[in-house]
Every structure is written in C-alpha cells, then in structure tokens.
Amino acid sequence: MSIQKDLALLERLCLTPGVPGREHRVRDLILAEIKGMFDSVSVDPMGSIIAIKKANPAKKVKGAEPKRVMLAAHMDQIGFLVSHVAKEGWVSLFPVGGFDTRNLFARTVTLCPDPNDAKKDLVGVLNPGGKPVHIASPEDRKKIPEVKEFIVDLGLPAEEVQKKVKIGDMVVLNAPVSYIGDHMVSQAMDNRVACWIAIEAVRKLKHHDCEVHCVFTVQEEVGLRGAIASAYTVKPHIGIGIDVTLAIDTPGTPAAEACSKLGEGAAITVADGASIGHFDLVEAFDALAQKHKIKAQRSILTAGGTDTAGLQRSTGGCQAITLSCPTRYIHTVTEMIHQGDIKACRDLLAAYLEDVK
Ligand SMILES: [Zn+2]
C-alpha cells in the first residue's frame, strides 16, 4: 500500500477539529471508519467510544474469562472555547489544553458555532491585543502574553458576530497536514496519531485470545477525564494508553534529555510524570519488538502524563503502560512524526494483542 493511501485516514483525522468536550466530528469520523470492525460499539455518557472485539472464538478456553485489554486513544486536541464576545465583535478565549502562547501569534483559526455542522464554521485571525512591534516599548516587546490577552478577529460587523458566536463555541488553530521528507506534520498529531494506531492495529489482528476494548477517549487534554470514566465501565485487566511523547532530539537539548528520537521506532514508555509502566508489560513489549524485528526504543518522560495514569488507578487498579509515538514540537501547529514510527507502533500493538493469553 502506498504511504499516502496508508496515511489518508490519519490525514483526515488530523484535519477534523475536536477539542475537549467538543469531540463530535472526530467521533463521527471514527464511528464511520470502524463500522464492521468490532463486535460492539457504543458511546458512553461522556462521549468516549467503546469498541469491543471479542476474543478469537477458535482459541477461547471454555469457561475461562478472556483478559480485557483496554486501549485508550484520546480523540481531543488542544484548543479553545469562546469565553467572551465583546460588543465590538472581538472574541476572547478559554484554553482547553496546555498552549505555549509564544506559538499563538499571527494565526488563523476556525471558530465552530456548531460542533456537528462544519458549514457554520467561521474563519478568524488570532493575535494578542496591544501595540504592534513597530510602536511597542522595549519592555512590551519582551512580554509573553497570556491566552486571555489574545483576541479572535472574525472580520465581520459586530452585530453579525453577536448573532453567530456564543460562549462555549469551539476554536481551533488552522494548519495544514504536510509530508516533509520521511515525516508527517500536523497540529493534531497529539493525539490523532493514536486513533490511527489503535484502528490500524485492530484491523491487523488475526488471532487473539484477549478481549480488546478499544476506547477513543474524550477530554484527555484537560486531565484524563474520559479515560477514567470509561475504565470504570471496561474494568480492564490490562490498560494501554496510546499517545505521543516528546522527541527532543533537536539542537539545544542534551541527548540524555531527548526522551525519544524520531525514526528510532515505537517508544515503550517506562515512566512519565503520572505513571510507571508495569514492569512485566515493559518487558513484554520489548521482547515482542525484538522477536518480530519491530523498531522500538524505551523512553522516560520526566513531566506530564497520559490516559494510562487514569486506567492504572481505576477500579482497583490494572497493569498499565503507555505506547508512545515519538513526536517533535508537541503542542505547536507543527507536530512532527516519522512515518516509520507510527507503523512500528501499530505493529507492536498488534503483536502484543495477539500475544496476550
Ligand atoms: Zn496526548
């Protein structure tokens, strides 16, 4: 299969807006894509998709309960909700997810008055209020504004903005998907890349003895909220969070702090700021990567966490690990992954699901 065709789904996932609490369009896209792939598909009260693929009947041991393996791939991307519409038509924002405001200057954005209807979307320009650089004081030029100082300019008469925009509307940054060398770049690799990995790994399965609960979670970027709720439904024996991890293999950071490297394969997360990967799972993923000659690397993320932390601590606890896709420039509009790495993640996940007894 050509690379472009293989990644066409990832491209569509990346170009579909969905911030915490407004995952409607991504959810619809995933529901359409996974039609027929699972034994049951449901959407839980918070909005996460729970898709179950039963153990392969040919291998099922009579009377024994199959292991429930929960995959968690969050559907949401960082973005904003409208927090205020000024009478002059300026739109203010409430961040949902951690932005570095240095990346927010001079952007175009899409404001979605209806999360279910792309036809109502509006395009705007995002910039901080205040004076432009030509006439700013030296002190002002050094200041890094907070999100609350940014405004969206919709280029419309104030009355029209008042009519069309309300507090709570979703706003996302605009950025294309680009193929650069062996890499792929998008603002939403975090975490559409995991949605792709989960779907494609399940699509690859031939024989598996476990019951796969593939959960596309909501509201990860504001604190793993959907994953925690879904874990109480699934009650997993094993939890696998799938997410991006930092690849700081770029100038300015010592190799010891790189966390992961692009092109070196799937990242088996030994630990991050919120969870320690279960020792047996780390060993199992490592051994499977070697057995099947899948490129993989171990990594430790010193701060930050993933849905794994939510799974691990729910319903009496479960064995959990994060399978990560190395990504440069996370939480900017140029999140960059290596095409070989996401395929390594897909292959390693599929190999693990086929291996669980
Ligand atoms: Zn993420």
Side-chain angles (χ1 to χ4, degrees):
M1 196 182 270
S2 78
I3 283 175
Q4 299 291 1
K5 194 174 171 201
D6 222 7
L7 297 177
L9 171 61
L10 178 55
E11 196 173 318
R12 283 192 290 134
L13 285 162
C14 285
L15 292 172
T16 304
V19 307
R22 303 285 185 276
E23 293 90 352
H24 305 57
R25 294 182 200 175
V26 195
R27 180 166 50 240
D28 286 349
L29 197 168
I30 292 173
L31 285 171
E33 184 65 30
I34 63 174
K35 214 165 184 186
M37 279 177 61
F38 291 87
D39 295 294
S40 78
V41 176
S42 58
V43 175
D44 79 6
M46 281 188 74
S48 298
I49 299 172
I50 302 180
I52 303 171
K53 198 166 178 67
K54 288 186 187 153
N56 185 325
K59 289 206 167 185
K60 197 174 168 188
V61 182
K62 222 179 166 197
E65 187 190 19
K67 280 233 175 85
R68 282 185 301 281
V69 180
M70 176 170 170
L71 311 179
H74 72 83
M75 292 189 281
D76 56 319
Q77 71 191 95
I78 56 171
F80 311 92
L81 301 178
V82 169
S83 64
H84 179 70
V85 185
K87 62 178 187 311
E88 301 85 1
W90 310 118
V91 174
S92 303
L93 302 173
F94 169 71
V96 275
F99 272 108
D100 179 347
T101 51
R102 289 174 299 181
N103 297 316
L104 295 181
F105 286 77
R107 298 283 177 203
T108 66
V109 296
T110 298
L111 189 153
C112 310
D114 184 343
N116 286 309
D117 189 356
K119 289 198 283 297
K120 291 186 186 150
D121 288 358
L122 303 166
V123 176
V125 167
L126 181 69
N127 268 305
K131 292 175 186 163
V133 66
H134 322 66
I135 55 166
S137 67
E139 299 80 63
D140 279 350
R141 277 188 223 175
K142 280 189 227 149
K143 268 203 327 209
I144 299 170
E146 295 176 52
V147 172
K148 67 179 182 192
E149 295 170 60
F150 284 80
I151 48 113
V152 178
D153 181 347
L154 291 166
L156 293 170
E159 314 78 66
E160 208 175 319
V161 176
Q162 296 282 357
K163 222 164 51 190
K164 290 182 170 166
V165 180
K166 60 200 175 307
I167 291 174
D169 288 351
M170 157 168 73
V171 178
V172 292
L173 298 172
N174 289 341
V177 170
S178 320
Y179 295 87
I180 299 176
D182 297 329
H183 300 164
M184 191 174 167
V185 172
S186 158
Q187 62 157 331
M189 284 301 173
D190 182 6
N191 195 26
R192 305 295 155 66
V193 74
C195 299
W196 184 91
I197 290 165
I199 292 170
E200 297 304 332
V202 170
R203 220 194 297 268
K204 263 193 94 174
L205 291 180
K206 289 191 180 81
H207 307 285
H208 60 285
D209 294 335
C210 64
E211 193 168 272
V212 183
H213 292 246
C214 188
V215 184
F216 301 92
T217 64
V218 294
Q219 301 190 32
E220 190 270 354
E221 294 288 2
V222 288
L224 329 177
R225 296 175 191 174
I228 294 169
S230 308
Y232 278 90
T233 302
V234 174
K235 299 183 181 62
H237 299 103
I238 294 164
I240 304 172
I242 312 162
D243 214 319
V244 297
T245 196
L246 294 175
I248 331 172
D249 54 343
T250 43
T253 305
E257 293 167 33
C259 184
S260 70
K261 286 186 188 156
L262 242 62
E264 292 299 312
I268 301 166
T269 301
V270 172
D272 60 26
S275 69
I276 294 171
H278 193 278
F279 181 79
D280 295 348
L281 294 182
V282 173
E283 294 287 297
F285 272 79
D286 229 348
L288 283 166
Q290 285 180 36
K291 182 178 162 192
H292 296 284
K293 298 194 170 47
I294 299 165
K295 236 180 179 182
Q297 54 189 314
R298 288 187 175 208
S299 76
I300 290 182
L301 177 67
T302 51
T306 68
D307 275 345
T308 304
L311 310 186
Q312 192 171 46
R313 299 171 199 184
S314 304
T315 66
C318 71
Q319 295 187 357
I321 190 171
T322 304
L323 180 64
S324 306
C325 183
T327 307
R328 286 183 191 151
Y329 323 118
I330 293 181
H331 287 197
T332 75
V333 292
T334 55
E335 294 179 339
M336 177 187 269
I337 55 117
H338 189 285
Q339 295 175 18
D341 293 342
I342 61 166
K343 290 171 188 172
C345 287
R346 171 197 62 191
D347 295 346
L348 186 53
L349 181 59
Y352 178 75
L353 294 173
E354 292 192 338
D355 189 64
V356 183
K357 293 286 170 277

